[in-house]
Amino acid sequence: MTSLIEAAAVSAGFAGGTVLRDVDFHIDPGEIVTVVGPNGSGKSTLLRLLVGAIPPRGGRITRRPDLRVGYVPQRLSIDPTLPLTVSRFLDLPRPADRAEKLALMDRVGIRPLAAHPLTGLSGGQYQRALLARALLTRPNLLILDEATQGMDQRGSAEFYALIEALRAETGAAVLMVSHELHVVMSASDRVVCLNGHVCCEGTPEIVRSAPEYRALFGTGTHGALALYRHEHDHSHEHHHHHHQQHDERGTGT
């Protein structure tokens, strides 16, 4: 088996309703795959199926025996009165090697916050703490569930640049579930567009021009696919969007 995880004709649902039907999905070593889709499209359900948190109702999921998943949840409910520092948080559920812990905090840019209470961190710092904790398991698959929700555009761009660098350094595959089409795409090898089933998939360019994608997300500025890619890539197939986006950001090139 070459893929880290493979799902074949998988369906899932709760209390009689079907959330996902006939989904084929795979992620290979070192690959960055982004799953996009509107709310209620089954993105979180797909993640839960892939990691084994829920069983599929139909179809089958195969995982490679050496699969090690590092999971970065959207948010963790932590009691704000709990006096948990960033450093202590990285010791859950089991104490981490101190040198490795410091090196990872350094790598994700939160080492100065080691003694800070976890509940006092900003959204971006908090996600970096979750990321450091996920990396302690030395995963060969890093799963991020809407990791940049609540960050501003610059914060998310920096976070995704970090993820891209970590992929290059560790060789881990990355599976991202995203609602933020404008940032994620430039780093993705493959985009899977989900709406209860796989509507379309392929490179960002292929998905950008797919009618199924446009039907789901529209073609206006908020639906246009790869905002950050335009900084480097002057293809003018979407001439109008290109200028519209730069004007909105006020940074023409």
Side-chain angles (χ1 to χ4, degrees):
M1 180 176 174
T2 53
S3 295
L4 292 168
I5 301 183
E6 206 166 296
V10 163
S11 60
F14 308 96
T18 300
V19 180
L20 291 174
R21 63 184 183 281
D22 285 333
V23 171
D24 291 327
F25 178 87
H26 71 278
I27 184 161
D28 294 337
E31 198 179 22
I32 294 186
V33 176
T34 300
V35 177
V36 297
N39 286 337
S41 58
K43 301 189 298 277
S44 305
T45 302
L46 178 62
L47 281 195
R48 292 168 69 194
L49 284 168
L50 294 175
V51 299
I54 54 173
R57 193 181 266 181
R60 66 169 205 285
I61 295 174
T62 322
R63 297 175 192 85
R64 222 170 66 172
D66 65 340
L67 178 69
R68 288 185 315 285
V69 173
Y71 186 69
V72 181
Q74 200 172 326
R75 63 180 69 81
L76 275 183
S77 309
I78 288 173
D79 182 345
T81 61
L82 198 67
L84 190 64
T85 64
V86 172
S87 182
R88 284 284 308 281
F89 172 67
L90 295 187
D91 284 329
L92 302 176
R94 64 192 65 82
D97 176 77
R98 189 166 178 276
E100 193 177 0
K101 195 164 72 164
L102 288 171
L104 275 177
M105 283 192 280
D106 212 18
R107 181 62 196 90
V108 302
I110 57 167
R111 188 158 171 182
L113 302 170
H116 280 237
L118 193 67
T119 50
L121 300 184
S122 75
Q125 294 165 338
Y126 185 65
Q127 283 306 119
R128 285 165 191 261
L130 290 176
L131 178 61
R133 182 167 171 247
L135 290 167
L136 278 168
T137 61
R138 303 198 177 175
N140 51 12
L141 173 60
L142 194 55
I143 295 183
L144 302 145
D145 187 2
E146 307 222 5
T148 57
Q149 199 153 28
M151 292 186 203
D152 62 17
Q153 220 168 49
R154 184 179 163 191
S156 7
E158 286 172 358
F159 188 80
Y160 284 118
L162 172 63
I163 295 295
E164 209 176 339
L166 286 166
R167 189 262 301 250
E169 288 163 31
T170 64
V174 177
L175 172 57
M176 291 190 279
V177 163
S178 181
H179 64 299
E180 265 200 308
L181 309 173
H182 54 284
V183 178
V184 170
M185 296 307 162
S186 54
S188 303
D189 298 307
R190 203 153 41 86
V191 180
V192 176
C193 188
L194 198 66
N195 196 19
H197 62 286
V198 175
C199 308
C200 55
E201 70 174 297
T203 63
E205 291 77 11
I206 287 170
V207 170
R208 178 167 62 182
S209 50
E212 299 89 341
Y213 171 84
R214 292 169 160 249
L216 274 181
F217 292 106
T219 52
T221 304
H222 296 295
L225 196 51
L227 183 58
Y228 279 84
R229 183 171 288 257
H230 287 294
E231 302 285 325
H232 314 286
D233 160 302
H234 288 281
S235 79
H236 287 278
E237 52 187 323
H238 293 281
H239 197 262
H240 169 65
H241 291 315
H242 178 87
H243 287 296
Q244 192 181 355
Q245 287 168 348
H246 277 304
D247 294 345
E248 289 227 343
R249 291 181 63 207
T251 59
T253 40

